[in-house]
Amino acid sequence: MKTFIKLCWIFLFVAGKLFSQENIKGQITDGSTGNVNPVLIINISAQKSSLSSMSGEFAIEAAENDEVRFVKEGYYRFEKKITKEDLASPLHIILRRMEIQIPEVEIAYKPTGNLAKDSKYLSESGKLKALKSDITMYMKSPLNEPMPDNKVSKTFAGHDFNAGQVNVAGVFKAISGIIKKASKPKITKADYNETQSFLIRVKNEISLDFLKKYGMDEEQINRFLLYANKTRLLAKNYRKDFKNDVVEYELRVAFGEYRKLHKLDSWEK
């Protein structure tokens, strides 16, 4: 019997709480003409929540003395304890927007109004100008260090399929060069008779008309040939391997110096 009475009291208490819950409703604005939406409305006491509509209207289940909280990002949170009057008429909730904190900037220099003085102060510092000047001079100056080789590292290079292979063309070229070098007569110093024989051959096989146009006679030509042989080592280098075009080129080179030395340009005039 006692247990039954206790259950009845519990039932009556819970029923009383349930039937005492009503809906509160109202409008949420920002204090001016604008509606704030959506806003999260939380009944802290009853552990219930809802969202306001796009027009700022809201409704949530609440009872007297319930604590209701209104939350919106960028706005200050608003809390309200529900009274009997709040249950009887619509509420007007105002949410205040949070202020954006702008860091304070302290201006050390106060402009004087003198354009020349103020522009001088606000222009680039001496250190910055010096740095820019150094960079400009560096970019214009020649390189003091060699540039790196523009080659692909072996790590990233593809496989060399010629590695370990014999370069046949290169081998034949090297052998040909060795044979050609070995076939040339050895250069030795020419004695008196060998020098005379070489100069006679020069006069017989090389055209010396470029000497005669300067009015040089036989004796002057012989004197020049002795000079050319001495300065260009003609008999030593070419008596065993006589090539007309090479010997004539050496003679013309020698004559260029000989002409300046003996001032033969005036003879031509």
Side-chain angles (χ1 to χ4, degrees):
M1 187 68 179
K2 291 182 179 180
T3 304
F4 176 75
I5 295 173
K6 288 181 179 180
L7 290 174
C8 289
W9 278 108
I10 294 173
F11 174 77
L12 291 173
F13 176 78
V14 172
K17 292 292 292 184
L18 289 174
F19 285 108
S20 65
Q21 292 287 336
E22 298 182 35
N23 281 337
I24 60 170
K25 56 186 177 180
Q27 186 86 16
I28 304 174
T29 67
D30 59 1
S32 58
T33 58
N35 296 322
V36 181
N37 60 80
V39 176
L40 176 62
I41 303 99
I42 306 172
N43 187 334
I44 304 298
S45 303
Q47 296 295 309
K48 294 183 179 181
S49 63
S50 67
L51 284 174
S52 65
S53 66
M54 296 301 295
S55 59
E57 297 177 349
F58 74 95
I60 189 171
E61 194 174 293
E64 186 179 354
N65 296 324
D66 281 355
E67 183 178 349
V68 179
R69 183 175 299 170
F70 299 82
V71 181
K72 170 70 175 176
E73 184 179 0
Y75 291 80
Y76 287 108
R77 186 175 60 186
F78 182 80
E79 295 180 354
K80 180 172 180 58
K81 192 171 183 179
I82 303 302
T83 64
K84 286 183 178 181
E85 290 77 12
D86 296 330
L87 297 172
S89 60
L91 299 177
H92 181 203
I93 305 300
I94 298 176
L95 295 184
R96 303 295 182 185
R97 187 182 294 273
M98 291 183 179
E99 299 84 359
I100 299 175
Q101 297 293 331
I102 301 176
E104 183 179 357
V105 179
E106 182 179 355
I107 302 176
Y109 177 75
K110 294 182 179 180
T112 62
N114 187 325
L115 183 60
K117 184 177 180 180
D118 293 341
S119 62
K120 183 178 179 181
Y121 177 83
L122 297 174
S123 62
E124 295 179 345
S125 64
K127 290 184 179 180
L128 181 57
K129 289 182 179 179
L131 178 60
K132 288 185 176 180
S133 176
D134 292 343
I135 293 175
T136 302
M137 292 298 296
Y138 173 77
M139 296 300 293
K140 292 182 178 181
S141 63
L143 292 174
N144 296 324
E145 299 179 358
M147 292 290 289
D149 294 336
N150 188 18
K151 295 180 180 179
V152 179
S153 172
K154 291 182 179 180
T155 305
F156 304 101
H159 178 68
D160 186 3
F161 293 97
N162 293 324
Q165 302 295 323
V166 177
N167 187 347
V168 179
V171 172
F172 278 111
K173 185 176 180 180
I175 294 175
S176 176
I178 294 172
I179 294 173
K180 187 175 180 181
K181 186 176 181 180
S183 62
K184 286 187 176 182
K186 186 177 181 180
I187 296 176
T188 58
K189 185 177 180 180
D191 58 20
Y192 176 79
N193 293 328
E194 290 173 332
T195 300
Q196 293 301 315
S197 299
F198 173 79
L199 294 178
I200 292 172
R201 186 175 180 182
V202 169
K203 293 177 69 176
N204 292 333
E205 298 185 20
I206 304 297
S207 175
L208 301 177
D209 292 340
F210 68 94
L211 299 174
K212 294 178 182 179
K213 76 174 184 178
Y214 283 91
M216 297 177 66
D217 54 22
E218 191 73 15
E219 181 182 353
Q220 291 171 331
I221 291 176
N222 290 335
R223 191 179 303 140
F224 163 70
L225 291 177
L226 290 173
Y227 168 84
N229 180 68
K230 181 179 180 181
T231 56
R232 307 296 297 179
L233 302 177
L234 299 180
K236 178 182 179 181
N237 294 327
Y238 303 109
R239 76 181 189 281
K240 296 180 181 180
D241 186 20
F242 195 95
K243 294 180 180 179
N244 290 16
D245 54 343
V246 176
V247 174
E248 182 177 353
Y249 172 78
E250 292 287 350
L251 289 173
R252 289 183 179 272
V253 173
F255 183 69
E257 296 297 327
Y258 186 82
R259 184 181 61 187
K260 295 178 183 178
L261 184 63
H262 294 82
K263 299 180 181 179
L264 299 183
D265 290 333
S266 59
W267 293 13
E268 186 179 15
K269 297 178 182 179

